Amino acid sequence: MEKKDIFTQIEAMEEQMGTMYADLSRLKTIVVELLEENQRLRMENEQLLRMIREDQYPEPTMEPDAEPAKPEGLSLTREGYENLARLYHEGFHICNVYYGHLRTEGDCLFCMSFLNK
């Protein structure tokens, strides 16, 4: 084999590797999108199942003269914090930079600082 042929083969392999890298990058993006959609659909499915169960077994109605209980601000704040913490532990960003995106590389400093406030 001549030196020129070897160099030509190396250049062809380099082009193939570049194409494969681009394909791999596109596939990675598609997989991340599919994982995010899958998680969103799971959460939506859980909410729909919860709504169906509530329709099948409705909570007892209040007396006509009874006054509805007013929610306490602190419990609403705690519930919101717990929901955000749950979303974070399920693998989603809760920070204002990447909110709702799937966390693919471990913990996010922005999310962690938000949770620690």
Side-chain angles (χ1 to χ4, degrees), residues 2 9 14 59 62 71 77 94:
E2 292 185 29
Q9 277 187 328
E14 190 176 37
E59 292 183 18
M62 293 184 352
T77 304
I94 59 167

Short mmCIF file of all heavy atoms in Angstrom, two decimals, residues 2 9 14 59 62 71 77 94:
data_model
loop_
_atom_site.label_atom_id
_atom_site.label_comp_id
_atom_site.label_asym_id
_atom_site.label_seq_id
_atom_site.Cartn_x
_atom_site.Cartn_y
_atom_site.Cartn_z
N GLU A 2 0.46 2.22 -0.76
CA GLU A 2 1.24 3.45 -0.82
C GLU A 2 0.84 4.39 0.30
O GLU A 2 -0.26 4.29 0.85
CB GLU A 2 1.02 4.12 -2.18
CG GLU A 2 1.61 3.35 -3.33
CD GLU A 2 1.46 4.12 -4.63
OE1 GLU A 2 1.43 5.36 -4.59
OE2 GLU A 2 1.36 3.47 -5.65
N GLN A 9 -7.40 6.72 3.08
CA GLN A 9 -8.22 5.87 3.95
C GLN A 9 -8.43 6.52 5.31
O GLN A 9 -9.52 6.48 5.87
CB GLN A 9 -7.58 4.48 4.13
CG GLN A 9 -7.87 3.53 3.01
CD GLN A 9 -7.36 2.14 3.35
OE1 GLN A 9 -6.35 1.98 4.03
NE2 GLN A 9 -8.06 1.14 2.83
N GLU A 14 -11.99 9.36 9.06
CA GLU A 14 -12.23 10.56 9.85
C GLU A 14 -13.59 11.16 9.50
O GLU A 14 -14.34 11.58 10.39
CB GLU A 14 -11.12 11.57 9.60
CG GLU A 14 -11.12 12.75 10.53
CD GLU A 14 -9.93 13.66 10.27
OE1 GLU A 14 -9.53 13.84 9.10
OE2 GLU A 14 -9.41 14.19 11.25
N GLU A 59 -65.70 12.90 47.83
CA GLU A 59 -65.63 13.24 49.25
C GLU A 59 -67.02 13.64 49.72
O GLU A 59 -67.83 14.15 48.95
CB GLU A 59 -64.66 14.39 49.46
CG GLU A 59 -63.23 14.00 49.17
CD GLU A 59 -62.29 15.15 49.46
OE1 GLU A 59 -62.69 16.08 50.18
OE2 GLU A 59 -61.16 15.11 48.97
N MET A 62 -70.49 19.03 52.23
CA MET A 62 -70.70 19.77 53.47
C MET A 62 -72.17 20.12 53.63
O MET A 62 -72.92 20.15 52.66
CB MET A 62 -69.87 21.05 53.45
CG MET A 62 -68.39 20.79 53.47
SD MET A 62 -67.35 22.27 53.55
CE MET A 62 -68.39 23.63 53.37
N PRO A 71 -57.78 27.64 54.04
CA PRO A 71 -56.45 27.04 54.11
C PRO A 71 -55.47 28.00 54.76
O PRO A 71 -55.57 29.21 54.61
CB PRO A 71 -56.08 26.81 52.64
CG PRO A 71 -56.95 27.75 51.87
CD PRO A 71 -58.19 27.96 52.69
N THR A 77 -47.69 26.95 51.51
CA THR A 77 -46.29 27.15 51.17
C THR A 77 -45.52 25.84 51.31
O THR A 77 -44.74 25.49 50.43
CB THR A 77 -45.66 28.22 52.09
OG1 THR A 77 -46.43 29.41 51.99
CG2 THR A 77 -44.23 28.50 51.71
N ILE A 94 -35.96 22.55 38.74
CA ILE A 94 -36.97 23.44 39.32
C ILE A 94 -36.46 24.87 39.39
O ILE A 94 -37.15 25.76 39.86
CB ILE A 94 -37.40 22.97 40.73
CG1 ILE A 94 -36.20 22.91 41.66
CG2 ILE A 94 -38.12 21.64 40.67
CD1 ILE A 94 -36.56 22.76 43.12
#
